[in-house]
Amino acid sequence: MTSHSKIEQTALQLFGERGYDNTSTLLIAKTAGVSEALLFKYFLSKEKLFEYLIKQGFQRIVEANRGILAEKDPRALIEKTIDLPYKLVHDEPDFWKVQDKEFSKPLVQKYFQRFMSPIDSLLKQAFEQLGTDDPEMMTLRLLLLIQSLWRNLLYEHDESLLRVGEHLKKTYVQGLPLPE
């Protein structure tokens, strides 16, 4: 593993555990087994390192989940969206812990919104195609439940959380009428 990669992984882990403000560049460098000077050579500052991690993280996540945006079947789209928190937390737990801890930062909100905006629109379309009474409210309610599930999956390892997704699928997909 390269020094650059060690710094990235260590910073993600520490930012996720301690938060941005409580993580120094010296701590990141020491934990990664590199000099602080090397960290600054690669990233110039802690702020630039954080920006890099957020941008790269969302780029990885968008690439890995591109298939959801191409889904044409409204029921399958809803199911894949419900499965998303399980997949995201499994694939990138440190990244999502950073998102949770640092969500108040405008940079994090900006990239999260860019990630979620197409999903929001596609869910509304799916609920419209399925003939729900209020597609916008159904989308909002489902996304709030998914966000809560995502946050709980980050910190709790309760087996019942694994069943929540199946319950949401029954509630939001199986109970809907078939499109005409």
Side-chain angles (χ1 to χ4, degrees), residues 6-16 23 28 32 39 49 53 98:
K6 286 180 188 176
I7 294 168
E8 285 179 56
Q9 287 182 351
T10 301
L12 264 180
Q13 180 186 3
L14 291 172
F15 288 153
T23 304
I28 295 168
L39 183 149
L49 170 59
L53 293 173
V98 172

Side-chain angles (χ1 to χ4, degrees), residues 7 11 28 39 43 45-53:
I7 294 168
I28 295 168
L39 183 149
F43 298 103
S45 67
K46 183 169 106 171
E47 184 177 313
K48 294 285 186 199
L49 170 59
F50 184 77
E51 288 175 18
Y52 175 85
L53 293 173

Side-chain angles (χ1 to χ4, degrees), residues 11-138:
L12 264 180
Q13 180 186 3
L14 291 172
F15 288 153
E17 290 172 3
R18 302 168 60 102
Y20 176 83
D21 292 333
N22 296 320
T23 304
S24 68
T25 54
L26 182 59
L27 178 62
I28 295 168
K30 278 186 173 182
T31 306
V34 300
S35 70
E36 191 175 26
L38 185 61
L39 183 149
F40 287 123
K41 177 183 175 194
Y42 287 140
F43 298 103
L44 303 177
S45 67
K46 183 169 106 171
E47 184 177 313
K48 294 285 186 199
L49 170 59
F50 184 77
E51 288 175 18
Y52 175 85
L53 293 173
I54 298 302
K55 290 176 185 178
Q56 289 298 313
F58 274 111
Q59 187 175 3
R60 282 190 314 274
I61 288 159
V62 166
E63 288 299 317
N65 296 287
R66 206 172 278 289
I68 291 174
L69 300 179
E71 182 58 61
K72 300 297 182 207
D73 176 17
R75 291 174 182 278
L77 174 76
I78 295 167
E79 285 186 3
K80 286 180 180 181
T81 303
I82 291 169
D83 288 336
L84 199 55
Y86 295 98
K87 183 178 184 320
L88 294 177
V89 169
H90 176 269
D91 293 350
E92 302 254 1
D94 290 332
F95 177 76
W96 290 104
K97 284 179 183 175
V98 172
Q99 294 302 298
D100 185 46
K101 284 208 180 331
E102 303 303 331
F103 196 75
S104 64
K105 293 192 180 317
L107 177 76
V108 174
Q109 290 179 12
K110 177 178 111 177
Y111 278 92
F112 184 78
Q113 185 59 35
R114 280 187 190 171
F115 173 68
M116 288 304 297
S117 183
I119 294 170
D120 181 275
S121 299
L122 289 169
L123 278 175
K124 283 180 195 166
Q125 288 175 356
F127 285 122
E128 285 171 4
Q129 289 173 350
L130 292 169
T132 59
D133 290 336
D134 192 346
E136 191 167 332
M137 187 54 66
M138 288 286 281

